């Protein structure tokens, strides 16, 4: 698609990565975009670049609007190379352009590219005149790198939010309302769950700073541009940043000979009896980045694994390592499993729940070999109790 004029003189000139399916471990089933924006003013300004693999798209789209040699400023909101990776190529066209970035941004860009480019460091509250328009900047450290910042254009009320409010979506559409709230919200939630969750406090500070701005359009660095669902996505981010979730449950498990799976089904029946919506995710067929989207929305997380070689299955170990890094808070945990001898898996899962600082109101279920009918009935009853506990929680 061509460069898209968002408002007079302001263009989307990014790259669409239709084929990417794994973004450093995150399953990007819908691909992604690396959004860059061009402001044509007395001083032509490019906001962010793209991943090197799609740099030709960026240059082609800039050329549709203006000769890239005329670029005067390049705003680097974030060092990560999906946004800075095309800087060397762009700077071949405009070698005298000045890179505007945060203090940590300059340090990070120098470490990445080993180039003595012209840098100008900005901090929150600083402004930059482009001629008719003036940009301002807000540092958003650790949302999600130390260098992260956002750029605001008060004249047109546009926030260039970089990764914040992004979604990994490749599409011919550029705006949220063209794909609908449900679709865009899902991908924004998956993005938050897998990228931003550990930085809730910092995200909250960034939201406070952003809340003071008048915003007509949010232009993130990935996915669709927000123009119709701005209050919705700000409200969703506000809830997520507080680690708030819904009174829903997700059962995450793996099984060897179906005993743990039978328990998963029994617990789901019990939760349903209590009136709780429950999602069931087998780790063998669900990607951990998709399960994290369920964890974002669910207050209760049930973890199931049989014991293998005196511990939990490697799939559960991988999942819990991932969860440990992302640190979702304010959750209720529960462990269950089966064993032939030993039975250490549930102890490991209980320890992981404790280390996450989640509430753990009920003792684990741990069944020898194959569950009896009576043990399945007990698991259903316990599922119902877990459901009632969830519904009664604050
Ligand atoms: Fe989209 Fe943190 O880079």
């Amino acid at each position: 698609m061509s460069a898209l004029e968002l408002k007079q003189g302001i263009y989307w000139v990014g790259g669409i990565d239709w084929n990417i399916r794994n973004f450093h471990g995150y399953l990007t089933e819908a691909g992604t975009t690396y959004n860059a924006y061009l402001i044509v003013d007395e001083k032509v300004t490019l906001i962010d670049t793209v991943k090197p693999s799609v740099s030709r798209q960026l240059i082609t789209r800039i050329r549709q609007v203006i000769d890239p040699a005329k670029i005067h400023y390049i705003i680097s909101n974030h060092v990560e190379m999906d946004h800075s990776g095309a800087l060397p190529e762009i700077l071949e066209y405009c070698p005298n352009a000045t890179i505007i970035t945060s203090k940590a941004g300059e340090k990070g860009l120098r470490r990445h590219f080993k180039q003595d480019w012209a840098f100008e460091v900005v901090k929150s509250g600083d402004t930059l005149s482009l001629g008719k328009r003036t940009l301002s900047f807000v540092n958003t450290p650790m949302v999600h790198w130390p260098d992260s910042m956002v750029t605001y254009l008060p004249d047109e009320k546009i926030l260039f939010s970089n990764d914040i409010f992004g979604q990994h979506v490749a599409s011919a559409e550029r705006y949220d309302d063209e794909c609908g709230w449900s679709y865009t919200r899902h991908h924004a939630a998956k993005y938050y769950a897998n990228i931003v969750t550990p930085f809730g406090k910092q995200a909250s500070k960034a939201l406070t700073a952003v809340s003071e701005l008048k915003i007509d359009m949010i232009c993130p660095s990935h996915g669709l541009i927000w123009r119709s669902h701005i209050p919705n996505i700000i409200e969703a981010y506000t809830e997520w940043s507080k680690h708030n979730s819904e009174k829903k449950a997700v059962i995450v498990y793996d099984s060897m000979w179906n005993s743990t799976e039978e328990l998963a089904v029994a617990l789901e029946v019990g939760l349903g009896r209590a009136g709780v919506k429950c999602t069931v995710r087998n780790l063998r067929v669900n990607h951990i980045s998709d399960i994290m989207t369920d964890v974002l929305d669910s207050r209760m997380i049930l973890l199931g694994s049989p014991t293998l070689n005196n511990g939990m299955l490697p799939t559960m170990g991988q999942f819990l390592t991932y969860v440990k890094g992302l640190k979702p808070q304010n959750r209720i945990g529960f462990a269950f499993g089966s064993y032939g001898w030993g039975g250490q898996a549930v102890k490991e899962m209980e320890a992981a729940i404790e280390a996450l600082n989640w509430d753990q109101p009920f003792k684990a279920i741990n069944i020898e070999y194959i569950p009896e009918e009576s043990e399945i009935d007990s698991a259903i009853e316990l599922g119902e109790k877990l459901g009632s506990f969830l519904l009664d929680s604050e």
Side-chain angles (χ1 to χ4, degrees):
M1 69 182 291
S2 304
L4 179 70
E5 189 167 30
L6 308 175
K7 295 208 179 186
Q8 193 177 9
I10 301 168
Y11 299 83
W12 171 86
V13 289
I16 304 176
D17 195 345
W18 296 97
N19 299 322
I20 189 169
R21 290 295 177 270
N22 188 315
F23 193 99
H24 52 53
Y26 176 141
L27 181 74
T28 46
E29 72 277 11
T32 195
T33 66
Y34 315 104
N35 294 334
Y37 302 95
L38 187 70
I39 303 173
V40 178
D41 206 315
E42 287 163 31
K43 289 180 175 160
V44 176
T45 299
L46 178 65
I47 298 184
D48 288 317
T49 72
V50 296
K51 200 172 171 182
S53 59
V54 298
S55 61
R56 296 313 303 168
Q57 292 188 44
L58 172 69
I59 290 159
T60 302
R61 290 189 176 108
I62 292 171
R63 276 204 176 118
Q64 289 169 352
V65 179
I66 203 163
D67 179 351
K70 292 187 175 164
I71 294 172
H72 187 90
Y73 290 127
I74 302 174
I75 312 292
S76 178
N77 280 320
H78 180 26
V79 169
E80 196 164 11
M81 285 201 284
D82 49 336
H83 309 300
S84 72
L87 272 174
E89 201 169 334
I90 281 288
L91 283 162
E92 284 178 20
Y93 294 88
C94 50
N96 296 320
T98 301
I99 299 172
I100 310 293
T101 189
S102 64
K103 189 176 174 193
E106 180 184 355
K107 182 181 167 204
L109 291 170
R110 286 188 188 278
R111 286 296 304 166
H112 275 72
F113 298 103
K114 327 291 187 201
Q115 295 290 328
D116 198 20
W117 292 325
F119 288 101
E120 191 174 319
V121 166
V122 289
K123 60 182 184 314
S124 289
D126 285 356
T127 58
L128 180 72
S129 173
L130 309 185
K132 294 192 193 73
R133 304 175 181 86
T134 300
L135 294 175
S136 64
F137 306 95
V138 178
N139 293 116
T140 55
M142 298 319 296
V143 195
H144 66 122
W145 277 23
D147 50 86
S148 298
M149 68 177 200
V150 299
T151 298
Y152 179 58
L153 184 52
D155 309 81
E156 277 90 357
K157 302 187 182 71
I158 300 178
L159 180 69
F160 299 95
S161 63
N162 198 263
D163 281 338
I164 306 172
F165 307 121
Q167 335 94 47
H168 281 314
V169 169
S171 59
E173 294 78 16
R174 296 271 63 81
Y175 293 112
D176 56 346
D177 47 75
E178 294 177 293
C179 289
W181 166 244
S182 174
Y183 180 84
T184 316
R185 190 262 183 208
H186 168 77
H187 286 285
K190 183 170 178 180
Y191 193 92
Y192 187 97
N194 287 279
I195 308 278
V196 190
T197 296
F199 310 112
K201 275 188 192 152
Q202 294 90 337
S204 193
K205 275 189 196 164
L207 286 167
T208 301
V210 162
S211 70
E212 290 165 13
L213 308 175
K214 291 192 172 112
I215 299 173
D216 273 355
M217 190 177 280
I218 297 176
C219 295
S221 58
H222 297 287
L224 299 154
I225 293 166
W226 300 95
R227 68 175 177 187
S228 293
H229 297 287
I230 292 169
N232 308 71
I233 191 59
I234 289 178
E235 188 186 341
Y237 256 68
T238 303
E239 293 301 313
W240 297 331
S241 69
K242 293 176 187 165
H243 295 269
N244 289 343
S245 52
E246 295 171 40
K247 289 185 178 181
K248 298 197 299 192
V250 56
I251 299 175
V252 185
Y253 77 99
D254 196 352
S255 198
M256 289 169 66
W257 290 101
N258 300 333
S259 294
T260 300
E261 185 162 73
E262 281 190 46
L263 293 171
V265 171
L267 288 163
E268 191 266 341
V269 169
L271 285 156
R273 274 194 196 168
V276 169
K277 282 187 184 165
C278 178
T279 306
V280 182
R281 300 291 188 209
N282 185 323
L283 283 159
R284 297 236 192 126
V285 295
N286 291 279
H287 196 271
I288 54 174
S289 60
D290 283 319
I291 298 174
M292 279 315 300
T293 317
D294 297 316
V295 170
L296 182 75
D297 280 334
S298 305
R299 189 170 304 170
M300 181 170 277
I301 323 294
L302 299 89
L303 302 169
S305 171
T307 294
L308 173 74
N309 299 331
N310 300 326
M312 57 190 157
L313 286 181
T315 47
M316 182 58 74
Q318 181 203 30
F319 175 68
L320 287 174
T321 298
Y322 195 53
V323 175
K324 184 181 164 197
L326 290 168
K327 299 195 239 347
Q329 293 299 298
N330 305 340
R331 298 298 193 276
I332 302 162
F334 177 75
F336 65 97
S338 56
Y339 66 97
W341 58 99
Q344 296 91 336
V346 292
K347 289 193 188 77
E348 288 188 354
M349 291 183 289
E350 284 183 312
I353 292 167
E354 198 176 330
L356 282 160
N357 206 24
W358 293 356
D359 199 2
Q360 194 167 199
F362 293 94
K363 195 171 173 305
I365 299 175
N366 204 11
I367 300 289
E368 185 183 28
Y369 288 122
I370 309 284
E372 306 280 356
E373 272 307 310
S374 61
E375 290 168 324
I376 292 294
D377 289 343
S378 297
I380 293 172
E381 280 171 28
L382 187 48
E384 197 168 352
K385 281 184 192 161
L386 283 160
S388 300
F389 185 88
L390 172 59
L391 294 176
D392 290 341
S393 64
E394 291 299 315

